[in-house]
Amino acid sequence: MGEKTKLKLLHILNILKEESDEETILTTNDIVDKLQDKGIIAERRSVIRDIKTLEAFGYDISLYEENKQGYYLRSREFEEEELRILIDTVSASKSITTKKSKELIDKLKKLTSKNLGKKIVGQVYIDEKIKSKNERIYYNVNALSSAIEENKKVNFKYTTYNINKQLEYRKKGKTYKVSPYGLGWHEDNYYLIGIHEKYDNISHYRVDRIKDVEILDEKRKILKEYENGKEFNIADYINKTFNMFTGEKKTVKIRFENHLINPVIDKFGTNVFLRKDGDENFLVCAEILISKGFISWLLQFGSSAELIEPVEVRSMIKAKVKELNNIYN
């Protein structure tokens, strides 16, 4: 009994965190009863003193004198809308398995009261069709992060789906030796960005498709452009790689109809060079990696988007349009 009494202040704090919110105000008697359930006998006056001690320490507690009903924890580490965003992000992530998503959401909901946590989670939808099946995702992230911090290369096996919708190893299970540069998100997928041992360009790999990560006792391979200490910019790489396809870097000029301003901003960002071109169109100039992904992205807008320069990329698009015409003609 004595030991539990010494912990009374912490138990009261925990009760306020778990049981109270703006819609669930606890009276002094409520708190006394909840303490008794934990084997702690307390007087009302001592509970009130403890609550005021917590408030004096910095906890934002609404007191009886303020609301004339009782006590509740008014603010927390995360507000309701912040938790909703975090939980929705976890539920939408393709890289996190359904099981891991549910476990992480359970942890997040404990950052608020039980009532509010139940309310938020009750509105969450997890689309299991898009979820990864790799339960080792946390291990992958931890191992790859450690390799980056330690400036080490990694070995791993990489998987892909076959026509029967089954995951199988690429290159018949041969390992990939990669110098990891960073980890980044793009369209709800998590990617390792680095340099394959056999090549001198940066590439990327879905973290949820990686298996059997091994940190090697070898220093990372450094590209010439980063030998002088220049840091690799992950955000810049993701932006310029576009739909996660690699290719030759070129500056393009594209004419878009005005109604496409939102998808253009989504892809290029607000810092893109943009100017009006008459009343119905605008021009964009941007440096990107020319790839199949870029061409497919542009063609989805049909006649509402036209690549003006460079000529060689325009020719690539013409060839793709002709190929599509032959298929559907």
Side-chain angles (χ1 to χ4, degrees):
M1 183 72 72
E3 288 300 318
K4 290 184 178 179
T5 302
K6 292 178 182 178
L7 295 173
K8 179 163 65 77
L9 186 69
L10 295 177
H11 279 295
I12 291 174
L13 175 60
N14 203 43
I15 288 169
L16 289 171
K17 283 183 175 180
E18 291 186 354
E19 307 287 349
S20 77
D21 53 50
E22 193 172 356
E23 298 177 1
T24 313
I25 299 175
L26 301 177
T27 65
T28 310
N29 287 336
D30 289 333
I31 297 172
V32 168
D33 290 342
K34 291 179 185 298
L35 285 171
Q36 190 169 346
D37 291 340
K38 300 176 186 295
I40 299 172
I41 306 300
E43 296 180 351
R44 294 177 69 256
R45 284 178 297 179
S46 70
V47 168
I48 294 171
R49 285 197 301 269
D50 286 341
I51 290 174
K52 290 187 176 180
T53 298
L54 290 170
E55 187 205 23
F57 186 72
Y59 286 99
D60 186 12
I61 301 171
S62 179
L63 304 177
Y64 177 83
E65 292 82 355
E66 175 189 333
N67 59 62
K68 303 304 180 186
Q69 295 182 59
Y71 306 89
Y72 70 91
L73 194 60
R74 185 162 34 205
S75 61
R76 304 166 187 271
E77 289 85 352
F78 293 93
E79 299 298 332
E80 177 182 350
E81 59 273 15
E82 294 171 330
L83 274 181
R84 286 185 186 277
I85 291 171
L86 290 173
I87 288 173
D88 286 343
T89 300
V90 170
S91 65
S93 173
K94 298 174 186 175
S95 295
I96 307 175
T97 65
T98 299
K99 179 183 175 183
K100 288 285 189 287
S101 294
K102 289 178 178 178
E103 290 174 355
L104 191 47
I105 288 170
D106 281 341
K107 291 180 180 179
L108 287 170
K109 75 178 184 181
K110 291 177 182 177
L111 296 173
T112 189
S113 69
K114 289 180 180 178
N115 288 336
L116 191 53
K118 185 177 180 181
K119 176 183 173 183
I120 294 173
V121 173
Q123 299 170 358
V124 170
Y125 168 70
I126 297 178
D127 188 353
E128 297 189 14
K129 297 191 300 296
I130 67 170
K131 286 292 191 178
S132 165
K133 307 301 180 188
N134 186 357
E135 294 291 349
R136 301 278 287 172
I137 181 72
Y138 287 1
Y139 173 81
N140 286 350
V141 172
N142 185 54
L144 294 170
S145 297
S146 296
I148 293 168
E149 290 174 9
E150 296 169 15
N151 195 31
K152 299 288 182 65
K153 294 178 182 177
V154 293
N155 267 350
F156 58 80
K157 294 179 181 178
Y158 201 56
T159 61
T160 186
Y161 279 99
N162 61 27
I163 196 66
N164 297 315
K165 298 184 287 187
Q166 297 171 328
L167 274 175
E168 61 182 18
Y169 287 115
R170 277 192 179 177
K171 299 183 178 179
K172 298 181 179 180
K174 291 183 179 179
T175 58
Y176 288 61
K177 182 185 283 191
V178 174
S179 295
Y181 270 44
L183 294 162
W185 285 97
H186 181 78
E187 295 185 355
D188 295 326
N189 287 314
Y190 205 19
Y191 290 89
L192 166 68
I193 301 164
I195 308 167
H196 193 286
E197 187 72 6
K198 292 183 179 179
Y199 310 109
D200 289 322
N201 63 301
I202 298 171
S203 53
H204 48 266
Y205 309 86
R206 285 264 297 267
V207 175
D208 58 307
R209 301 278 175 85
I210 290 173
K211 287 195 173 183
D212 303 331
V213 179
E214 177 190 6
I215 301 176
L216 303 177
D217 192 22
E218 297 180 36
K219 294 295 185 183
R220 283 187 297 175
K221 181 179 180 181
I222 304 297
L223 292 180
K224 288 183 179 179
E225 59 185 297
Y226 300 109
E227 286 178 348
N228 60 358
K230 177 184 175 184
E231 289 191 7
F232 175 67
N233 189 318
I234 296 175
D236 185 59
Y237 172 82
I238 290 175
N239 287 333
K240 290 180 179 177
T241 304
F242 233 69
N243 284 346
M244 303 309 287
F245 290 90
T246 56
E248 186 179 357
K249 189 182 294 184
K250 288 183 180 292
T251 299
V252 298
K253 180 189 289 186
I254 311 171
R255 179 186 292 114
F256 293 96
E257 292 182 3
N258 288 342
H259 65 90
L260 293 178
I261 185 62
N262 285 301
V264 168
I265 293 296
D266 288 343
K267 283 297 180 184
F268 292 101
T270 54
N271 292 328
V272 67
F273 176 80
L274 182 154
R275 66 178 173 83
K276 291 185 66 175
D277 184 40
D279 294 330
E280 305 296 329
N281 303 284
F282 63 91
L283 289 173
V284 164
C285 287
E287 187 181 58
I288 63 168
L289 298 173
I290 304 301
S291 62
K292 292 180 180 179
F294 164 69
I295 292 173
S296 297
W297 178 82
L298 191 64
L299 287 178
Q300 72 176 305
F301 302 120
S303 59
S304 295
E306 179 187 2
L307 187 133
I308 310 299
E309 298 174 358
V311 174
E312 61 270 26
V313 179
R314 188 177 172 91
S315 297
M316 291 169 63
I317 294 174
K318 285 181 181 179
K320 185 63 178 179
V321 171
K322 183 176 181 180
E323 178 187 329
L324 292 171
N325 184 62
N326 290 338
I327 291 173
Y328 289 101
N329 189 8

